[in-house]
Amino acid sequence: MIEVKHLNKTFHLKSGDVTALRDVSFRVEKGSIYGIIGYSGAGKSTLVRCLNLLEYADSGELRIGDDREIVLQQGRPAIGGRKMTARQENALRRGIGMIFQHFNLLDRLTVFDNIAYPLKHTGKNRIRIRQRVMELLELVGLTDKADVFPSQLSGGQKQRVAIARALAGNPPILLSDEATSALDPEATESILTLLKELNRKLGITVVLITHEMAVVKRIADRVAVMEEGRIVEEGSVYDLFSNPGTEISRRFVASSSLLGKIDRMIRDNADLANVREGELLVRLTFEKECVGQHVLTSAAKETGVDLNLLLADAEYLQGSPLGGIVGILSGTPESIEKGIDYLRNHHVRTEVLQDGGVHQNRRTESLHVPG
Ligand SMILES: Nc1ncnc2c1ncn2[C@@H]1O[C@H](COP(=O)(O)OP(=O)(O)O)[C@@H](O)[C@H]1O
Ligand SMILES: [Mg+2]
């Protein structure tokens, strides 16, 4: 378990102060995968560095694993009212593995030696170290690469080595700071699959920092959205995707869904996205409750509203189906009104993206219209 309460961090630079963390609080359950998503500069890397005390937050509280609470006051970490000793800090860091975007491998060492590196000075003899490294290589699927150098590996393979090295000391927690950001889609997929496997097999808790929604969507259980040093939204991955509560979350969700294409089409004033007078361009999100029901057909039959389909998408998130479509609603003003009510009463989230007049005042106030 990781618990973070009211964490604040400001960097004091000659050019002025930069506040990287503002009252950040969240909780990661033991054995879960927790995603933290935000654009560049949101404070994500600062947050992970504060978690493993590579950086001291100015104020706040931390609890890492089963350890006692660390209280930060004026940038000083203390446990039980006493300043933490270097030994306590090192013990905490040993319990947290880290992987990064650029792998941080030592180029002059072989894969074997890179992984063995953190095991030196741990009192293990050569035979035990060898045994552990071979175990780790097997865990990440690189048994045949023990004697090659990092330069001979693909990006995905390098990240596997970095993962093996991070796990050498059996840490219960793995922090991943943009670990797939330098990888192509295929390697990204294989690394995410590996992280999920390690999470399941070893029960390791993973904190996944990323700017890519597709990454969070693929393996995280819960997600926090960060913007300008704050967590602006937090929840299960399914809830965030089916019903994002903030503008930035909506942008992230759109970025990883086929339905997000419509935002660009609207911006580019594409013909397809233009509505005629009296029509509404809508994005409908079908939550798990309404999968398998003929909501659209029934809505049309019962209310007389007509839907012209533009885009459709469906996927599984955390084992539950989530579908959506973008289309144009047409018909009499009354049938459109009733149609929207019908959809909303049947677990179909309805966003009006473009409004061809008529409904403007009556509808959009309760519905999201992207800025
Ligand atoms: N060591 C540092 N000194 C000064 N400013 C920093 C330092 N590290 C991060 N920052 C600033 O803090 C903010 C958050 O940065 P960072 O945590 O790296 O964000 P992210 O990882 O989300 O891109 C940025 O404005 C960045 O410039
Ligand atoms: Mg970063």
Side-chain angles (χ1 to χ4, degrees), residues 38-46 48-49 101 177-178 209-210:
Y39 294 115
S40 174
K44 308 179 298 294
S45 295
T46 305
V48 290
R49 284 203 305 275
Q101 178 170 4
D177 190 354
E178 303 278 8
I209 306 281
T210 178

Side-chain angles (χ1 to χ4, degrees), residues 25 61 66 77 106 115 154-155 162 202 225 251 265 354 366:
S25 301
E61 287 155 34
D66 301 326
L106 297 163
I115 300 172
S154 70
L202 310 177
V225 181
R251 265 159 62 200
M265 288 160 74
Q354 299 260 62
S366 59

Side-chain angles (χ1 to χ4, degrees), residues 46-214:
T46 305
L47 176 59
V48 290
R49 284 203 305 275
C50 287
L51 286 183
N52 60 12
L53 301 182
L54 288 176
E55 192 113 62
Y56 296 151
D58 300 327
S59 61
E61 287 155 34
L62 293 173
R63 194 190 292 272
I64 308 286
D66 301 326
D67 292 344
R68 283 184 295 163
E69 190 160 67
I70 300 168
V71 177
L72 286 128
Q73 262 172 346
Q74 289 162 340
R76 299 227 149 198
I79 289 183
R82 284 167 176 245
K83 184 176 174 294
M84 274 178 92
T85 61
R87 196 189 198 140
Q88 284 175 316
E89 288 193 24
N90 286 333
L92 176 135
R93 284 186 204 113
R94 272 199 302 277
I96 304 177
M98 277 212 71
I99 51 173
F100 307 91
Q101 178 170 4
H102 295 299
F103 325 120
N104 300 13
L105 300 177
L106 297 163
D107 291 333
R108 287 178 196 197
L109 299 185
T110 62
V111 164
F112 183 98
D113 289 333
N114 264 284
I115 300 172
Y117 195 79
L119 295 171
K120 290 182 176 159
H121 316 295
T122 54
K124 280 194 168 70
N125 66 33
R126 288 168 73 99
I127 297 166
R128 296 257 318 273
I129 290 181
R130 175 155 197 94
Q131 208 176 9
R132 179 67 184 141
V133 173
M134 295 318 287
E135 248 172 50
L136 289 159
L137 280 169
E138 190 169 339
L139 198 63
V140 300
L142 286 181
T143 312
D144 56 333
K145 300 288 184 199
D147 299 323
V148 311
F149 288 90
S151 61
Q152 295 165 275
L153 298 176
S154 70
Q157 290 170 330
K158 284 182 195 167
Q159 196 58 286
R160 282 170 187 268
V161 177
I163 291 171
R165 182 186 55 184
L167 298 183
N170 260 319
I173 296 169
L174 181 67
L175 302 182
S176 162
D177 190 354
E178 303 278 8
T180 56
S181 300
L183 303 179
D184 60 48
E186 217 166 294
T188 295
E189 170 65 23
S190 84
I191 291 297
L192 294 177
T193 305
L194 175 63
L195 291 178
K196 181 84 203 175
E197 239 173 65
L198 296 171
N199 164 255
R200 228 177 338 200
K201 258 201 264 182
L202 310 177
I204 193 163
T205 307
V206 181
V207 179
L208 197 67
I209 306 281
T210 178
H211 67 281
E212 292 173 302
M213 204 59 181

